[in-house]
Amino acid sequence: MKKTTKKPAIKDIAAEANVAISTVSNVLNNKEIVSEKTRKRVLKAVEKLNYRPSVIARGLRTKHTNTIGIIVPDIADPFYAQVIKGMEEVASKKGYTLIFGCTYYSLEEEGRQIELFSDHSVDGLILFCGYDGYDNVRAIKQRNIPFVMVDREVNDLEIPSVLVDNKYAIESAVDYLHSLGHRKIGYLTFSFKHQTTVKKRYEGYCSGLKKKKIKYNPDFVIIDDSIKLDEIKGTKRILKSYFGSKKLPTAFISFSDIPAIGLIKALDIMNYKIPEDISVMGYANIAFCEYIKPTLTSIKHPKKLLGKTGVDLLLDIVEGKKIKTRRIILPTEIVVRQSTAPV
Amino acid sequence: MKKTTKKPAIKDIAAEANVAISTVSNVLNNKEIVSEKTRKRVLKAVEKLNYRPSVIARGLRTKHTNTIGIIVPDIADPFYAQVIKGMEEVASKKGYTLIFGCTYYSLEEEGRQIELFSDHSVDGLILFCGYDGYDNVRAIKQRNIPFVMVDREVNDLEIPSVLVDNKYAIESAVDYLHSLGHRKIGYLTFSFKHQTTVKKRYEGYCSGLKKKKIKYNPDFVIIDDSIKLDEIKGTKRILKSYFGSKKLPTAFISFSDIPAIGLIKALDIMNYKIPEDISVMGYANIAFCEYIKPTLTSIKHPKKLLGKTGVDLLLDIVEGKKIKTRRIILPTEIVVRQSTAPV
DNA sequence: ATGAAAGCGCTAACAC
DNA sequence: GTGTTAGCGCTTTCAT
């Protein structure tokens, strides 16, 4: 039975190597003032005792923890998972550790997470989610934590953000469908109270129609709060009830991919052929656009890039570098697949 | 312009409330020895200065940080994302913060993450991934960090683990297909070097056949390392080349869902009808089994439960509770959908 | 019930 | 080039 030895501290190394504590510290932090000879000795002691400095203790002293907090609505959503992957890659490469929390789309929970991260003395914070609401943003500012917002537009230009032009994206979708000859274009979304991205997409739909001189037809627009982002069953059910009475457009744009898939499922059940009878477009271009049948035309929202850019920007701020742009807008792109066709 | 005030420390509260530091500490930690009157005063000061204790400083003193580290292969994989969601829910409820890292299926990277988490003085560690290899496990034990393994079988019964009986799961899949009249049953997997779960599933395939007195036919078994878990394109390409020359079985079991979808895609291109010509089963029962066409029969691997149970077990250990079982085995279940049918 | 002070593991300022 | 020491913000004895 191996004896349970405590984790060695810097003073144990100092004792082992017969040097002062500060010398060990200097070696560890690559200060060039230590003689090669003692450096070697210290390193040997470190090796021998399997020593690793405590980030906690160091953090208490230096006021930085090499940790950044990530707040997302829902880690299980492949959309956010992809963004987080981008973040993880950059952070890991730059020597930062990620701690994260989910809000499950609740502003209150978001506030709780912010406090929690503040308690943990994160060096910076990323707020990812298209909410309105300044209260939490204000709380971060007040706590003086460097932070960037990703995918959330607020009017305060002071706040560094990485954004996607959601409005333009859907406008271009309308444009694309118009070029295929569609004039009756429907839109599917859930209701938007606090989510600016969802609202902007809807605005893009409206302005897109206007640009093409198409009259807005409320019969073609489905705004339903019970549409779920992470399951299609509910969406399917809802849509079936819609389609009973109404005349359908020749094309639908959905504000998100999963509901678009629910839409396709529902239309399939009602014996509409996609894309022969009705074209369907999603938004986000998640991996599964490729896997379903027909494959789903979608709009590429740069997920990993969003994550990467967010962390890059945040770390630039944290590390006090000069920031060129406080507001980075990433481009979208239509990815044409089988679910859309000429009328 | 608001003055940039520093984060208040406990001594600021003490000063504000005109009490000793230790009294503030006692109030904060709900020690019942403080008089109601001073308690009120302290709380008022806390409120006024918007004070929150530093987890870092507290951690340095108490040796616990209310933080647990999660190591998974790839956060962007919906399978792991789902597991993590289960973990997040439990951890958050119990007041723990999650820090996490991805290994991208590299044992070396896994080792690096372990060190990193150790540096951060996590209270506990969850190792999620079906690898072989004891080196990293040994490293954790040596560092004396409480940990549990999820979905990885090692022969050391001392190590608390939450497992799924992968072998039995595939055995029952063979059984199920046999009951539909299938006698030519194929298997699709990537090669398994370190991943015990993948190996166990393959063993389940073999023993399942044996139980039904079906002879193992190597022509029906595709073991290919270039099959990707997160994209189907590669899989499709590989499979097409396989199918050129060989006679195909009447049913396929895939070791994972995404490759199963790739398989269906490939068979579709070759003009095989699913399930009329060939039945296909996946493994894991990810959300998208429902979304594809035909919907995919799969084996439900209890993802969220795996995460929840793992964290529950870990926190029981961390908090010194008595553990009933060190080895929890979670059940699987076949979910029948459209992709399987009688011969 | 309250307060004073030691000390967790480290860095940084300063002395030698 | 190396050593001594204060102190980061907190908890925890131990006095009072």
Side-chain angles (χ1 to χ4, degrees), chain B residues 8-179:
Chain B
I10 193 168
K11 69 166 189 296
D12 301 318
I13 306 301
E16 175 75 27
N18 244 299
V19 293
I21 289 181
S22 55
T23 304
V24 178
S25 176
N26 284 330
V27 171
L28 262 32
N29 294 292
N30 296 312
K31 301 265 197 278
E32 299 283 314
I33 47 167
V34 187
S35 80
E36 192 54 26
K37 191 162 143 273
T38 50
R39 221 181 66 87
K40 282 260 170 59
R41 216 167 61 240
V42 169
L43 256 21
K44 221 176 82 186
V46 166
E47 183 92 8
K48 182 177 172 195
L49 302 189
N50 196 14
Y51 169 73
R52 307 213 96 215
S54 154
V55 173
I56 296 288
R58 177 179 288 167
L60 183 58
R61 203 42 248 249
T62 62
K63 303 292 158 206
H64 47 87
T65 52
N66 273 34
T67 299
I68 63 182
I70 309 288
I71 298 177
V72 295
D74 185 356
I75 173 76
D77 183 325
F79 177 85
Y80 294 111
Q82 201 70 37
V83 174
I84 292 178
K85 181 173 186 173
M87 294 177 173
E88 204 274 339
E89 283 180 17
V90 177
S92 174
K93 198 182 310 169
K94 297 200 177 175
Y96 281 78
T97 299
L98 254 39
I99 83 179
F100 78 97
C102 302
T103 67
Y104 302 112
Y105 302 94
S106 141
L107 280 168
E108 191 186 335
E109 188 60 22
E110 183 183 88
R112 209 180 69 94
Q113 297 290 352
I114 291 171
E115 301 254 276
L116 214 58
F117 288 171
S118 165
D119 297 350
H120 277 266
S121 308
V122 293
D123 293 343
L125 200 51
I126 291 192
L127 217 52
F128 191 121
C129 32
Y131 291 158
D132 269 342
Y134 283 77
D135 286 6
N136 289 333
V137 174
R138 215 176 289 129
I140 305 178
K141 283 190 126 174
Q142 191 198 110
R143 293 208 173 277
N144 234 312
I145 305 170
F147 81 112
V148 334
M149 303 207 312
V150 176
D151 227 21
R152 174 198 298 207
E153 300 185 38
V154 298
N155 296 322
D156 186 342
L157 290 173
E158 284 295 302
I159 298 172
S161 338
V162 181
L163 300 170
V164 166
D165 194 337
N166 286 274
K167 187 178 165 192
Y168 171 78
I170 299 291
E171 256 186 39
S172 67
V174 173
D175 199 45
Y176 160 70
L177 290 172
H178 183 270
S179 76

Side-chain angles (χ1 to χ4, degrees), chain A residues 149-165:
Chain A
M149 303 208 313
V150 176
D151 226 22
R152 174 197 300 208
E153 298 185 39
V154 297
N155 296 322
D156 186 342
L157 290 173
E158 284 296 301
I159 298 172
S161 339
V162 182
L163 300 169
V164 165
D165 193 337

Side-chain angles (χ1 to χ4, degrees), chain B residues 253-293:
Chain B
I253 300 169
S254 166
F255 82 116
S256 187
D257 283 332
I258 304 277
I261 296 171
L263 178 61
I264 289 178
K265 286 264 169 189
L267 290 171
D268 183 59
I269 290 169
M270 315 286 293
N271 276 322
Y272 289 98
K273 294 266 166 293
I274 316 289
E276 294 81 357
D277 301 335
I278 298 181
S279 287
V280 174
M281 282 185 77
Y283 185 96
N285 195 40
I286 60 175
F288 275 85
C289 292
E290 295 264 357
Y291 304 174
I292 58 160
K293 194 174 167 182

Side-chain angles (χ1 to χ4, degrees), chain A residues 238-342:
Chain A
I238 295 154
L239 294 180
K240 275 175 65 182
S241 70
Y242 269 91
F243 297 158
S245 50
K246 297 190 180 117
K247 272 198 68 179
L248 295 187
T250 61
F252 264 114
I253 300 170
S254 166
F255 82 116
S256 186
D257 283 332
I258 305 276
I261 296 171
L263 178 62
I264 289 179
K265 285 264 169 186
L267 292 171
D268 183 58
I269 290 170
M270 315 286 294
N271 277 320
Y272 290 98
K273 295 266 165 294
I274 318 289
E276 293 81 359
D277 301 334
I278 298 181
S279 286
V280 174
M281 281 186 77
Y283 185 95
N285 196 39
I286 62 175
F288 274 86
C289 292
E290 294 265 357
Y291 303 175
I292 58 161
K293 196 176 166 181
T295 57
L296 182 68
T297 295
S298 188
I299 297 171
K300 185 171 173 181
H301 196 93
K303 292 174 281 298
K304 269 180 73 174
L305 187 60
L306 221 36
K308 283 188 176 183
T309 311
V311 171
D312 271 334
L313 181 59
L314 178 64
L315 292 184
D316 280 355
I317 295 171
V318 165
E319 292 168 0
K321 292 194 190 132
K322 264 220 287 282
I323 311 298
K324 294 130 275 188
T325 341
R326 301 188 76 81
R327 208 180 166 83
I328 301 172
I329 300 194
L330 266 28
T332 58
E333 183 190 330
I334 295 177
V335 181
V336 176
R337 295 200 184 83
Q338 297 164 354
S339 68
T340 47

